[in-house]
């Protein structure tokens, strides 16, 4: 499984909204990290910790990766946010 974690762009807003609708939760606002598995959006997390995820996929490990990225974000973000756009292995 190939997982990519990245900071969302305006182009991702509609995909995040559809994912939130599928998960029956409000879409996260502001800066949002998204997780894609093989190019398909499966989870998104706002910097406030609000998460939406595909309820029809196993996303617990992907959400944990998002949580760890958000928890380490402020310190790492000062170094240019390169950490937001790298492939991450998830089990």
């Amino acid at each position: 499984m190939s997982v990519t974690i990245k900071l969302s762009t305006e182009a991702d807003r509609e995909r995040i909204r559809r994912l939130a609708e599928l998960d029956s939760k409000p879409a996260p606002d502001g800066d949002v990290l998204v997780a894609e598995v093989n190019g398909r959006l499966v989870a998104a997390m706002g910097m406030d910790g609000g998460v939406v995820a595909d309820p029809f996929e196993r996303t617990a490990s992907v959400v944990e990766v998002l949580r760890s990225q958000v928890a380490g974000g402020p310190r790492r973000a000062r170094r240019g946010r390169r950490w937001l756009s790298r492939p991450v292995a998830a089990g």
Side-chain angles (χ1 to χ4, degrees), residues 65 68-84 86 88:
V65 171
S68 70
Q69 293 296 313
V70 169
R75 179 176 45 82
R76 295 178 186 179
R78 285 187 230 121
R79 294 194 308 221
R81 291 188 177 213
R82 286 190 314 262
W83 62 279
L84 292 173
R86 64 177 172 22
V88 177

Side-chain angles (χ1 to χ4, degrees), residues 41-71:
L41 182 65
V42 296
M45 174 181 266
M47 296 303 153
D48 65 355
V51 176
V52 293
D54 188 331
F56 302 105
E57 297 289 332
R58 293 181 182 206
T59 57
S61 62
V62 174
V63 170
E64 283 305 311
V65 171
L66 287 175
R67 288 188 199 287
S68 70
Q69 293 296 313
V70 169

Side-chain angles (χ1 to χ4, degrees), residues 2-58:
S2 173
V3 178
T4 302
I5 305 294
K6 67 176 189 156
L7 188 61
S8 68
T9 65
E10 189 60 36
D12 295 310
R13 291 291 163 202
E14 180 61 21
R15 294 188 324 146
I16 294 168
R17 186 198 63 73
R18 285 193 310 256
L19 183 63
E21 189 174 286
L22 187 64
D23 197 16
S24 301
K25 293 182 181 174
D29 289 325
D31 287 340
V32 177
L33 285 181
V34 296
E36 297 175 336
V37 173
N38 299 324
R40 191 172 149 269
L41 182 65
V42 296
M45 174 181 266
M47 296 303 153
D48 65 355
V51 176
V52 293
D54 188 331
F56 302 105
E57 297 289 332
R58 293 181 182 206

